[in-house]
Amino acid sequence: MRPVANSLHEQVAEQLRELIFAGELRPGAFLDELALCERLSISRTPLREALKVLVAEGLARHEPRRGCFVAEITERDVDQIFPVIALLEGRAVYEAAQRANDADFVALEALHERLVQRAEADDIDGYYAANLAIHEAFITLADNRWLAQTIGDLRKILRLSRLQQLRAPGRLRHSLGEHLAIFDAVKQRDPVAAEQTMRTHLLAQRDALRELAHQQTSRIAL
């Protein structure tokens, strides 16, 4: 049988994503092939294939005769993406509310307890991690690979934003309340309410990001 391990260029693409998300390759930065080959100890062939993947994902852009650059995300991009992802994640939690069983509720309860603990400790990084785990749990429970794939692609683009909406004044507490309302709707097996509260939650994230962006600069990518 053929091995199922990721190909080299897929591994390189993942390494480049992490460098971008960590801010080591900043928005707008030139992706120097020679320097990246040396840094990652690879040849140009897998690097170029990996760059094609990132361009297709929207994480990089290719300019003829100039090469590849890390993509930049603007306020307009974020304004356009958030309503779409709100629709998609709203649908995901709608389906999750229909499919969740008693064991799922126990697992979700533990995830929300962790979220509350991180909020009470004003641990923004920990809250982000717990928040992401909850969103991922709802997507898993929805059991819809098309939703999962599309949401994942859009979330990669949003990670180019260097602003964190939870740093907006009062946003942490509001976010927690929104999450608890979503969970309550799911526990009540009310998919319509769960969908609406998820949409409201994600659009509130956009409002918080806009507030931060206007405090600092008119563009998200710095």
Side-chain angles (χ1 to χ4, degrees):
M1 295 178 62
R2 301 179 70 179
V4 296
N6 288 342
S7 66
L8 179 56
H9 84 267
E10 290 172 331
Q11 295 174 30
V12 174
E14 182 58 28
Q15 288 178 288
L16 292 175
R17 286 189 203 100
E18 290 307 313
L19 291 173
I20 291 170
F21 296 150
E24 294 187 46
L25 296 173
R26 297 169 64 84
F30 173 60
L31 294 169
D32 186 318
E33 291 187 7
L34 286 175
L36 288 171
C37 285
E38 182 176 349
R39 180 172 185 170
L40 302 177
S41 301
I42 55 171
S43 67
R44 277 197 169 186
T45 298
L47 176 64
R48 287 177 173 173
E49 291 301 311
L51 290 175
K52 289 178 184 178
V53 172
L54 296 190
V55 170
E57 293 177 343
L59 294 179
R61 71 177 192 277
H62 179 262
E63 296 185 11
R65 296 181 297 279
R66 292 192 65 201
C68 286
F69 298 80
V70 178
E72 298 171 276
I73 185 169
T74 66
E75 260 194 275
R76 184 169 183 268
D77 293 325
V78 177
D79 280 338
Q80 292 176 338
I81 290 172
F82 262 96
V84 176
I85 204 166
L87 287 170
L88 294 170
E89 291 213 37
R91 180 62 193 183
V93 79
Y94 179 99
E95 296 185 10
Q98 291 180 315
R99 293 183 169 88
N101 59 36
D102 290 343
D104 296 327
F105 290 136
V106 171
L108 287 168
E109 189 73 50
L111 289 174
H112 283 81
E113 287 176 1
R114 186 185 311 162
L115 192 74
V116 171
Q117 291 169 357
R118 296 302 90 213
E120 290 177 346
D122 287 321
D123 177 3
I124 290 180
D125 290 339
Y127 186 94
Y128 264 111
N131 170 77
L132 178 60
I134 288 170
H135 281 269
E136 291 292 334
F138 287 138
I139 293 167
T140 297
L141 290 175
D143 194 24
N144 183 326
R145 70 186 181 96
W146 302 109
L147 274 174
Q149 178 179 312
T150 309
I151 291 168
D153 289 343
L154 289 175
R155 283 200 170 276
K156 287 176 186 174
I157 302 301
L158 288 177
R159 286 185 69 181
L160 290 171
S161 169
R162 297 179 60 246
L163 294 176
Q164 294 184 323
Q165 49 93 15
L166 289 174
R167 299 191 186 280
R171 179 59 196 149
L172 184 64
R173 299 297 173 184
H174 286 301
S175 174
L176 177 61
E178 292 156 12
H179 261 293
L180 295 178
I182 294 166
F183 186 34
D184 185 63
V186 172
K187 287 189 291 186
Q188 296 297 322
R189 298 189 183 277
D190 186 342
V192 174
E195 180 177 28
Q196 185 56 55
T197 49
M198 177 63 82
R199 288 186 185 183
T200 299
H201 169 61
L202 287 166
L203 293 177
Q205 287 186 18
R206 175 61 196 116
D207 290 342
L209 273 176
R210 185 182 292 112
E211 180 182 346
L212 282 178
H214 288 173
Q215 288 174 358
Q216 299 184 30
T217 176
S218 64
R219 290 176 65 86
I220 298 290
L222 302 177

